[in-house]
């Protein structure tokens, strides 16, 4: 088993919208956001220690090739300590992506309504 898991996604939303959505939706996925750095496109968070893990560090890196281009997002979850993650990092990445998608879907629906 790995000690980290990474997933890259492309989102059809502007960079500022995705940055805000990542920071606001991560707690829904059980991630405590420690730092949001808009200049570097980084959101740093942690998942607390549990029965299954000593905790995980979750990094969300945003990028955009042009102002009108989709926003790229790389989500990485890595063990804070340990050798085997037992699938925990994949679950963290999946949870962050699910929370983000739900948040962005609500944003899109609200934009259409008004």
């Amino acid at each position: 088993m790995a000690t980290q898991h990474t997933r890259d996604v492309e989102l059809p939303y502007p960079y500022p919208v995705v940055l805000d959505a990542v920071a606001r939706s991560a707690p829904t996925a059980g991630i405590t956001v420690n730092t949001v750095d808009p200049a570097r496109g980084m959101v740093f968070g942690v998942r607390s220690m549990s029965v299954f893990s000593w905790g995980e560090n979750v990094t969300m890196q945003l990028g955009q090739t042009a102002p009108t281009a989709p926003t790229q997002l790389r989500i990485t979850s890595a063990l804070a300590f340990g050798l085997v993650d037992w699938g925990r990092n994949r679950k963290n990445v999946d949870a962050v992506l699910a929370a983000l998608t739900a948040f962005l879907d609500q944003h899109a629906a609200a934009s259409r309504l008004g």
Side-chain angles (χ1 to χ4, degrees):
M1 306 284 303
T3 59
Q4 76 173 28
H5 182 75
T6 299
R7 182 170 309 145
D8 294 317
V9 294
E10 190 173 271
L11 302 162
Y13 297 95
Y15 176 92
V17 170
V18 176
L19 181 67
D20 179 61
V22 167
R24 293 176 62 192
S25 66
T28 305
I31 306 301
T32 301
V33 175
N34 291 334
T35 306
V36 178
D37 185 347
R40 291 180 36 209
M42 300 288 289
V43 178
F44 298 99
V46 296
R47 182 168 208 118
S48 299
M49 190 170 71
S50 70
V51 174
F52 304 106
S53 159
W54 287 98
E56 297 89 33
N57 297 315
V58 181
T59 305
M60 294 146 282
Q61 170 75 58
L62 288 83
Q64 194 170 35
T65 57
T68 58
T71 302
Q72 287 84 35
L73 173 63
R74 170 172 282 175
I75 306 167
T76 301
S77 177
L79 293 178
F81 175 79
L83 299 174
V84 179
D85 76 355
W86 305 107
R88 188 74 185 153
N89 288 313
R90 179 181 297 270
K91 289 178 187 175
N92 288 340
V93 170
D94 290 345
V96 168
L97 196 52
L100 175 61
T101 301
F103 188 91
L104 289 171
D105 287 347
Q106 284 182 333
H107 176 273
S111 294
R112 285 192 295 269
L113 293 175

